[in-house]
Amino acid sequence: MAEVVAAMAIRPLVSLLMSKASSSLLDQYKVMEGMEEQHKILKRKLPAILDVITDAEEQATAHREGAKAWLQELKTVAYEANEVFDEFKYEALRREARKKGHYNKLGFDVIKLFPTHNRVAFRYKMGLKLCLILQAVEVLIAEMQVFGFKYQPQPPVSMEWRQTDYVITDPQEIASRSRDKDKKNIVATLLGQANNADLAVVPIVGMGGLGKTTLAQLIYNEPRIQKHFELLLWVCVSDVFDVNSLAKSIVEASPKKNDDTNKPQLERLQKLVSGQRYLLVLDDVWNREVHKWERLKDHLKHGAMGSAVLTTTRDKGVAEIMGADTHILGRLDDRFLKEIIEAGAFSSRKKKPVELAKMVDQIVNRCRGSPLAASALGSVLRTKATVKEWKAIASRSSICTEETGILPILKLSYNDLPSHMKQCFAFCAVFPKDYKIDVGKLIQLWIANGFIPQHKEDSLEIIGQLIFDELASRSFFLDIEKSKEDWGYYSRNSCKIHDLMHDIAMSVMEKECVAATMELSEIEWLGDTARHLFLSCKGTEGILNDSLEKRSPAIQTLICDSPMQSSLKHLSKYSSLHALELCMWTESFPLKPKYLHHLRYLDLSWSYIKSLPEDISILYNLQMLDLSYCSYLDRLPRQMKYMTSLCHLYTHGCPELKSMPPELGKLKKLQTLTCFVAAVTGLDCSDVGELQHLNLGGQLDLCQIENVIAAEEKVENLGNKKDLRELTLRWNSVCDSKVLDNFKPRGGLQVLKIYSYGGECMGMLQNMVEIHLVGCQRLQVLFRSSTIFTFPKLKVLTLEHLLGFERWWQIDERQEEQTIFPVLEKLFISHCGKLVALCEAPLLQRPCGEGGYKLVRSAFPALKVLELEDLESFKRWDEVEETQGEQILFPQLEELSIEKCPKLTALPEAPLLQEACSEGGYRLIHSAFPSLKVLKMIDLERFQRWGAATEGEQILFPQLEELFVLRCPEVIGLPEAPNLSVLHIIDGKQEIFHCVHSYLSSLTNLTLKLEYTEKTSEAECTSIVPVDNKEKWNQKSPLTVVELGCCNSFFGPGALEPWDYFVHLKKLEIDRCDVLVHWPEKVLQSLVSLRTLVITNCENLTGYAQAPLDPLASERSQHLRGLESLQLKWCESVVEMITGPASLKSMEIRSCPKLEYIFGKQQGMAELVEGSTSSEAIVPTAVSELSSSPMNHFYPCLEDLHLVGCGSLPAVLNLPPSLNTLQIADCSSIQVLSCQLGGLQKPQLTTSISRSPIMPEPLAAAATAIVHLLPPHLEVLGIQDCAGMLGGTLCLPAPLKALTIIGNSGLTSLECLSGEHPPSLEVLGLQRCSTLASLPNEPHVYSSLRFLKITGCPAIKKLPRCLQQELGSIKYKQLDAQHEVMALKPKTWKQMPRLVRERRNAATEAKERQRSTRQE
């Protein structure tokens, strides 16, 4: 059977042309004067083409090449004709604007903007174009008759699908049931790699549409996976496996992404994963080039033990290349496929037709086990009501093979769409695969390109949303999410497209859509047929300039997803643009409005522009203008009132915008205005009253209301707009105001945000869903009313910085008790200094005992999140004092945070509640928070009780998972919480220590930092695990993170802790432990999973109980085999470092003034240092002693070493060659740096003759000096205030990127290693280096320099010539006065003699003033 072909969507293009040709605007302004006859002929002939276009499309899908070629030519002609009629429309709009006076406002610029405004010239030019279009149409009609295309009636655009009651199947929900076994197997594989030092790779293999990505999402979101891995990353790879681009995508996908954007991407990736146990999901991999995968894998291997890569691919060969633990994903079980098809095909409200229901099993067999195919077929069958139609679908969908997979079924689903939907979806080929598409912007792009058919009842935006919803219900769009933009200004929906669906869109659009996400040297780029472009790569402007120099494609859509930093050329070649998205890091707009007459969509969000050109007001077709987050934008064009097509204006996030252009009320089509800045009323700005008759919807932020005259009436008008959903009212400062005293919005308003209002009370806002009050300092009472009231819809309430707020409401007549906030879910109260209590809680009935009920009080029966912060007077849980002592209940509360409430002493009294038991039945418990999961208690000076009514009564938090008690000095006990997994206690009483044991079986994260007490005796040390319970622990503790402070009971000779109980511990921090004198070897031996060890402020810690070179040293190196990070800080007595394992990657030692050894005791070092200035003969002796040291081979993986404030270190010799970063500060006794390469490499002695300094060596320098040898992979070196270090020459390794030396008096020269490629520094800082005279004279050293600082280095008389030549291009630099003149840009070099004279004269005058001052 022939292959199914996705049909071209050309009918909407011709229909659009018909609509434009029939526009009444053309006749109104007589723009087709002299062309009336051709116009009539065209309007007669276009319907003839529309009559047969359906037959032509069907023949093209049946592989008739002639029909396909005819349709292709029709598309080309239709595009050209649409552009011609766009010019006619623009001319009509231009004449309309001229009639309204726009020409007078533009002044002399009119001649430049409209060089062909002469009507005769216009008629001649357009007459020729129209004749050519008419000739082409006549040729098409003649060919149409030759091909024998027949008339097929086309039903009108139906809106029946707008009221769908079909169930949209959630792929995650289906997969969670159908793929549970697959999920468990892969999760077990990933978790089972915990102690594997090698990177685990697990490919999921299966044909397209089986649900590989959905399964990977389930695994990624599995709670055990989320807890197990420290870093989770997700990246879609798709067709192009470019290693550098992929590394960048992985880094950008991380919340921990580093800021080293100028570094190579693979280095950034390696830095990101180093020391982290991570899970990386690489979705949709196609790469079969082994070397590319190995190159990426080499940098991924630097993660911690247990790291894993999970991939999805259709290609078994790819899986074999990437990993051995391949998981083959089988077909979905038929019962789940049947469920998906029935959900899509049958209405949920109507009974299934028996005959059709019987055929479902036959359809299931066509799906090849694919849930995507089942969803697509279900949506196709939805519109088929007869057995005959179902049989036809079953027959047409039986052509799937091993090669095609389910693609024919998806094409069948596409072909079943109405023609306008085909065009809307096919346009999405402009986006790259896996791109997160903004739904609102997608609909506006459809509108800009004319894809959405007009409908009398609804706006284009509503129809666009209905089209999107229908396509989503048919699985053309997936992963639909709702989110807030940064800073919470504007909400938006996003979606993605399945890669198979994307393939269909690409097959329809062919080369009309181009999406470029990598360097374009490898891409066949920008043919003449390209109409819709998406660019997301560096140097976008250069790519466009080069491409348009040779070609002239009629670009309609241009989306640049990366910043543009320079100007565009060939501006006239952008004249076909309908939609343009640019992010400009320049102050000016790069295009000329006179070439953008057809532009409907202009997105300049996040640009650096300060203003738009005034002539942008000639864009009479513009419908959408997005200027959001243009942080430097200070004004809008004054003539915007003439842009009468404008529907959407986004101005939020523009802090410099001071006013709005005048007469905005003339923009009658304006539906969206996100921010209106009210200025003092004048001729050059609009007043809020301009918005009165505009039908605004969505969100509006009204700023500077203090400038509004008659504000109460105007704000009331905004509150009554039926389509406005969110309104923000901002005053710049708190001042007397009654604007909102009687504010009662009656429109569709749901969210109200008020900032710095100066009134004492608010109007009734009973229909709000969200209310946010911030900085309303004079507000005393939230609401006043004559009778009882309620907020039946309110879900979110924020009260912040309400300094005068005392009472919740004032009611004149009290009736029966009523719940004021019945559905409130989130309540945030902060900085309300006079608030004493929460609002009054009415009585509710709760079950208690067998058939019994108990009366409890609850003001917030639906509340899920409650945050109370900085409430100086808050002390009660109910406003009515008489109710204190009665029991308060928060039945649904999940998160409670209380911070800085100094008068609060207790949680509310816990009522007796009924709780179901796992064995059946129920039990009675005391709990005010039966659903609470997270509880934070921070800085509560007087808090003591967890809600107990009587002394010793145990309070239960049955669902509590995380408990934070920070700086609550009166708390001495903890509540019962059987499911607690995270416990953080900071500055807690020592008594709390004895409460922790009850949580050990469930805790995964413990921070226990108690208040400091005097040194505890061994007799007082007690175990955290009671002695009588130790033998009862049959399983090990799940704890992975432990932070301890002042917890002496864990350590010392008398400690009773069974450390082998904590075998899963990954991170251990020890702070202020007085009894810790020696390294706790027994403890460390037990912690087999430890990755990070931090020890701070242990003032009695000295080192090992035995000598460090004891025979036990080799055994000690086997402790903590997986340790990767070690930090030792502020331990004043420590003499020697712990013997670390080979796995160590990072070491930081800070403020340990007595520390003598880091890499073991290094004999002979003193002699070496002394001999460096007298005789080279001593060096071999010293080296031979060093080479025998067993410490020389420690830390082969160490990458980062930081030493600060370690004044007793005599030398740092044999630095590991693996080091990437070395930072040393305030280590005054260190004199020599060296590195072990294979065997020991000694510091070399050299005379000054062997160096070639630019300036003569200072006389004070010794005849011989040490040449310091740095690790060969070192990238960052920083040395500060180590005065005696680096005597002699410092040789810079090739990888070095950053060098900073501050406060040194021994270094004389910086040189490149002989025989090696010189380094390319990016950062060079030299300060207070009194003896440094010589810098490298290699151009490559400075070619990448972006930061330079050389100050207080008097021996450097002259900078190297190659550095002088680079000074003009270095962005950040600071130099001593004698070098500053060199920092001038090349254009100013000719001024150097004058500048030198001025500096000399100034210096001479200063000396004379000093001399005269002394004489006086």
Side-chain angles (χ1 to χ4, degrees), residues 1214-1217 1235-1241 1269-1273:
N1214 296 343
L1215 293 173
C1235 175
Q1236 173 190 351
L1237 298 171
L1240 181 71
Q1241 192 155 358
L1269 298 175
L1270 298 177
H1273 305 294

Side-chain angles (χ1 to χ4, degrees), residues 430 510-516 518 520-535 539-560 568-570 573-574 577:
V430 72
E510 295 180 333
K511 294 184 179 181
E512 281 188 41
C513 290
V514 177
M518 56 177 288
L520 297 178
S521 57
E522 302 176 20
I523 295 178
E524 186 180 345
W525 170 241
L526 205 58
D528 289 329
T529 58
R531 291 190 174 272
H532 307 289
L533 310 183
F534 179 99
L535 305 179
T540 301
E541 54 272 50
I543 293 164
L544 288 169
N545 292 340
D546 293 344
S547 300
L548 293 180
E549 186 175 2
K550 303 171 185 176
R551 296 183 177 87
S552 301
I555 304 172
Q556 285 187 205
T557 304
L558 175 57
I559 301 173
C560 298
L568 291 172
K569 301 176 182 177
H570 319 296
K573 293 189 177 183
Y574 294 94
L577 275 176

Side-chain angles (χ1 to χ4, degrees), residues 915-983:
E915 183 194 47
C917 298
S918 56
E919 302 84 12
Y922 62 89
R923 65 170 179 158
L924 296 178
I925 61 169
H926 285 280
S927 183
F929 304 99
S931 303
L932 196 66
K933 294 181 179 179
V934 179
L935 175 57
K936 297 180 180 180
M937 315 291 285
I938 305 172
D939 292 317
L940 304 180
E941 301 171 9
R942 298 173 60 187
F943 182 81
Q944 298 176 343
R945 295 181 292 114
W946 299 97
T950 58
E951 187 74 25
E953 188 178 88
Q954 189 65 34
I955 303 302
L956 180 66
F957 291 81
Q959 304 298 326
L960 192 63
E961 297 174 359
E962 300 180 19
L963 174 59
F964 299 80
V965 183
L966 281 58
R967 297 175 295 280
C968 300
E970 300 298 319
V971 174
I972 59 173
L974 297 175
E976 184 181 350
N979 294 308
L980 197 68
S981 61
V982 177
L983 175 61

